[in-house]
C-alpha cells in the first residue's frame, strides 16, 4: 500500500495552489460532461493558464492541445493527471524531463512507482486528491454548498 | 526568458492567513471546538463574528459566464435560496463536520430530509429494507408515500441480523434504521447491519436524531447516509422545524446498481453525478436535483437558530443523558412504573450495544408503562406541573406524551401492543432542568395516579 498521507500534506497542497500559474492537464477530455473538463474549466476561471495534453484533440477549452508533456512550448508549474494509474510512471518521467514543479494525481490515480520517479526527479507529488476540490477548500467557495472543508479558522481573510 | 526562469512553481511565500490555514489543516480539532467553528469563518466582507443571516432569495451574478458556471455546477456559486444559502451552508457544513461526512444538505424538516435522501437513490420498482422500530411519522412516510412511488418495503426486527440479511432482494436499494429507536429504545447494531448492507452493495441510512453526533457517529461504524430531524436535540430550543442529510462520500454509486445516481441524468442535461463529482456526487445530486425539485428548503433564519443550538450540543447532551439516567433509575425503582426502556440502564438488554455505540450516554428519550393502563397514563400526565405535555422530543425542556391517547389514538389495545405501545405507555424526553425537580414532579404525579386508582377501587367497592 502506498502511504498516501505523504502526498496529501495540506501545507504542500496550498503551496502548490498558491504558487502555480501554468497547469498542464494530462488526459483532459473535450466532453463538457467529464470530470476533467469540469476541473479544467474551473482552473481557467480561477486564472490559471491551462494547457490540455491529449493526443486525440487539437483544442480544448479554447486552448491548444498537445500530444504529450514533451511537446509543451512553455514550462509548467503543475502536471495534473486524469489517466489510469498504470500510465503514471511514463507521465512522471516526462514531468521530470520538463522540470515541472509538481505532479498532481487526481482521485484514484495512485501509482507508487510514478510517485517515486517524480520525487527522485525533484518534482513535488500530490496523489489521490482533486485539484479543484483542494482549490475550493482553501481558496474558493466549497463552503457555500455544505461540503465538509475540514477548515477551522477565526482569521478574517479572503473574498467570499 | 525572464518569465521562464522565474517559474515560481511551489511557493513558500504564504500570507499569514494561508499559513494558519495550513497549520490548522494538520491539526485534529476536538468536537467542542468544531461545534462552535466548523463551517464558518469570520465574514470576509464585514468581519462579523456571528454567522450572518443571509435573508435573501437570490444572488446577483458577476456576469453571464459566472451565472452559467453556477447553473452548470462548474463553479461553486449561489443562485437561488431554494437550492443553497450561505447561512444554511454553515449549518450544513457544521453538521457534516460533526458527523464526519463529506458534506450535508439541509431541509425544511426531518421528514423532508428522509424523503429527499431516499428519492435521490430510488426509482419505481425498487425495494427498501427498514427497521420496524421507527418514529411513527417515518413509518407513515414509508408505508404510504414510498408505496405510492411504487417502492416496496420490508419491515424487519432491527435486533435480528438474519432478518436484515434475508430481507434483501435483487432490487433492494437501501437499509434504514434509527440509532436509538423511537420510542422503544432499541439500539441499532450499526456495524453489523452496515456490513450486511455492504455485502449486498446497498447503502445503510441511519436516523441519528436521538443520539446526535455527540453521542454516536454512525459513519464511523459504516453507515453511508445519516439523517437528522434538527427539530430535536440539534436545535434543542424547540423553536424550529428542520432536517439534514449527511453523506459519508465513500459508497460506490457506480457499482452498477444505482443508475439513478451514476447514469447520465435527464434532469441535469446528461450530467453523470458520481463520475463527475466522485466523493461529492450523491450530495450534488441531492442538492441540484432533489432539493431543487422537491423544494423543501430550510430557511436561513431557522438555520441560524440551529447553529445557535449546535454551539452547545455537547454540553446539553451531557446534561440530557445524566438526567435521563437519573429519571430512568427513579422510574425503575417506582412501584407504579414498569418496562422502563432506557437503554442506558444497567439491566437493559441493549447494554452491550449501548457500551459500544453510545459510550457517553444513551440519549434522553424513552418510555415506560404507567400502572392503571390508559387511565393511569392519562392521570399521570394530567397531574404533572413541570413536564410539558406535547408531541415533540429533544427540547431542553422536559416533555411527556401518552401515545395511546395522542399519536397512536386510532389503534385498539391489540394494535397498540403490536406497535410496542401499551395502553399505559408514557414517552419521556428528559430535558436539562434540575434532575431533582423532574423526579419530584413525576413522584407527585404518581401519588395522584395512586389516589385516583384508590378512588376507582372505592367506587367499585361501593357499586358492587
Ligand atoms: C427519530 C425521528 N426522525 C424523524 C423525525 C421527523 O422530523 P421532523 O418532525 O423534523 O420532520 C422525528 C420527529 O419526531 C423523529 O423523532
Amino acid at each position: 500500500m502506498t502511504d498516501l498521507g505523504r502526498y496529501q500534506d495540506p501545507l504542500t497542497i496550498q503551496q502548490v495552489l498558491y504558487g502555480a500559474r501554468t497547469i498542464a492537464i494530462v488526459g483532459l477530455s473535450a466532453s463538457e460532461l467529464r470530470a476533467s473538463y469540469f476541473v479544467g474549466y474551473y482552473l481557467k476561471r480561477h486564472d490559471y493558464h491551462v494547457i490540455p495534453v491529449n493526443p486525440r484533440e487539437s483544442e480544448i477549452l479554447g486552448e491548444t492541445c498537445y500530444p504529450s508533456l514533451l511537446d509543451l512550448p512553455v514550462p509548467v508549474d503543475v502536471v495534473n493527471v486524469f489517466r489510469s494509474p498504470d500510465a503514471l510512471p511514463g507521465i512522471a518521467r516526462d514531468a521530470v524531463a520538463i522540470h515541472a514543479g509538481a505532479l498532481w494525481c487526481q482521485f484514484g490515480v495512485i501509482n507508487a512507482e510514478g510517485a517515486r520517479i517524480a520525487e527522485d526527479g525533484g518534482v513535488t507529488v500530490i496523489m489521490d486528491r482533486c485539484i479543484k476540490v483542494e482549490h475550493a477548500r482553501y481558496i474558493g467557495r466549497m463552503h457555500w454548498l455544505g461540503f465538509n472543508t475540514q477548515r477551522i479558522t477565526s482569521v478574517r481573510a479572503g473574498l467570499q | 526568458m525572464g518569465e521562464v526562469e522565474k517559474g515560481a512553481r511551489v511557493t513558500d511565500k504564504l500570507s499569514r492567513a494561508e499559513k494558519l490555514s495550513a497549520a490548522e489543516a494538520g491539526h485534529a480539532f476536538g468536537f467542542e471546538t468544531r461545534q462552535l467553528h466548523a463551517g464558518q469563518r469570520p465574514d470576509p466582507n464585514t468581519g462579523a463574528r456571528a454567522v450572518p443571516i443571509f435573508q435573501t432569495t437570490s444572488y446577483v451574478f458577476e456576469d453571464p459566464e459566472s451565472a452559467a458556471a453556477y447553473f452548470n455546477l462548474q463553479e461553486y456559486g449561489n443562485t437561488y435560496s431554494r437550492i443553497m444559502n450561505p447561512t444554511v451552508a454553515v449549518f450544513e457544513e457544521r453538521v457534516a463536520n460533526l458527523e464526519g461526512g463529506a458534506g450535508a444538505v439541509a431541509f425544511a424538516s426531518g421528514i423532508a430530509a428522509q424523503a429527499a435522501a431516499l428519492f435521490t437513490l430510488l426509482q419505481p420498482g425498487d425495494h427498501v429494507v427498514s427497521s420496524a422500530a421507527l418514529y411513527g411519522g417515518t413509518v407513515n412516510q414509508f408505508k404510504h408515500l414510498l408505496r405510492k412511488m411504487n417502492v416496496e418495503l420490508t419491515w424487519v426486527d432491527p435486533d435480528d441480523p438474519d432478518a436484515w440479511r434475508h430481507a434483501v432482494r435483487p432490487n433492494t436499494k437501501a437499509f434504514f434504521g434509527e440509532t436509538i429507536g423511537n420510542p422503544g429504545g432499541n439500539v441499532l447494531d450499526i456495524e453489523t447491519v452496515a456490513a450486511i448492507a455492504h455485502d449486498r452493495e446497498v447503502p445503510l441510512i441511519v436516523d441519528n436524531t436521538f443520539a446526535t453526533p455527540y453521542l454516536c457517529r454512525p459513519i464511523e461504524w459504516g453507515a453511508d447516509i445519516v439523517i437528522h430531524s434538527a427539530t430535536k436535540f440539534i436545535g434543542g430550543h424547540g423553536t424550529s422545524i428542520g432536517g439534514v442529510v449527511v453523506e459519508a462520500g465513500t459508497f460506490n454509486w457506480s457499482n452498477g446498481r444505482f443508475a439513478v445516481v451514476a447514469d447520465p441524468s435527464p434532469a441535469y442535461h446528461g450530467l453523470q453525478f458520481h463520475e463527475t463529482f466522485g466523493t461529492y456526487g450523491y450530495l450534488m445530486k441531492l442538492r441540484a436535483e432533489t432539493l431543487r425539485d422537491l423544494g423543501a428548503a430550510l430557511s436561513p433564519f431557522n438555520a441560524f437558530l440551529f447553529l445557535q443550538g449546535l454551539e452547545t450540543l455537547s454540553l446539553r447532551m451531557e446534561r440530557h443523558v445524566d438526567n435521563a439516567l437519573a429519571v430512568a433509575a427513579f422510574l425503575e425503582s417506582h412501584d407504579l412504573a414498569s418496562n422502563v426502556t432506557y437503554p442506558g440502564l444497567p439491566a437493559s438488554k441493549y447494554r452491550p450495544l449501548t457500551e459500544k455505540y453510545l459510550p457517553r450516554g444513551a440519549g434522553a428519550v424513552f418510555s415506560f408503562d404507567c400502572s392503571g393502563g390508559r387511565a393511569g397514563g392519562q392521570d399521570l400526565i394530567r397531574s404533572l406541573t413541570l413536564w410539558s405535555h406535547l408531541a415533540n422530543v429533544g427540547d431542553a425542556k422536559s416533555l411527556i406524551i401518552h401515545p395511546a391517547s395522542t399519536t397512536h389514538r386510532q389503534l385498539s389495545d391489540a394494535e397498540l401492543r403490536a406497535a410496542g405501545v401499551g395502553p399505559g405507555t408514557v414517552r419521556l424526553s428528559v430535558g436539562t432542568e434540575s434532575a431533582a425537580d423532574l423526579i419530584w414532579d413525576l413522584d407527585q404525579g404518581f401519588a395522584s395516579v395512586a389516589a385516583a386508582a384508590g378512588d376507582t377501587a372505592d367506587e367499585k367497592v361501593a357499586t358492587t
Side-chain angles (χ1 to χ4, degrees), chain A residues 35 49 51 65 72 83 95 103 116 132 135-136 138 141 144:
Chain A
H49 177 201
I51 307 181
C65 197
L72 301 188
R83 292 283 310 278
L103 180 68
R116 189 184 48 73
K132 177 186 174 203
H135 181 278
Y138 292 109
R141 301 156 162 183
W144 274 4

Side-chain angles (χ1 to χ4, degrees), chain B residues 107-114 134-138 141 176 178 180-182 207-210 227-232 240-243 306 365 391-393 427:
Chain B
F107 292 87
S109 69
I111 279 290
Q114 286 172 187
L134 297 181
Y135 162 59
T138 307
Q141 181 181 54
F176 190 99
E178 290 174 358
I180 306 171
N182 174 0
D207 179 337
N208 199 33
T209 300
F210 279 19
I227 288 169
H228 282 277
S229 166
T231 314
K232 317 296 191 257
S240 314
I241 302 277
F306 288 138
V365 182
N392 190 25
V393 298
R427 188 187 71 189

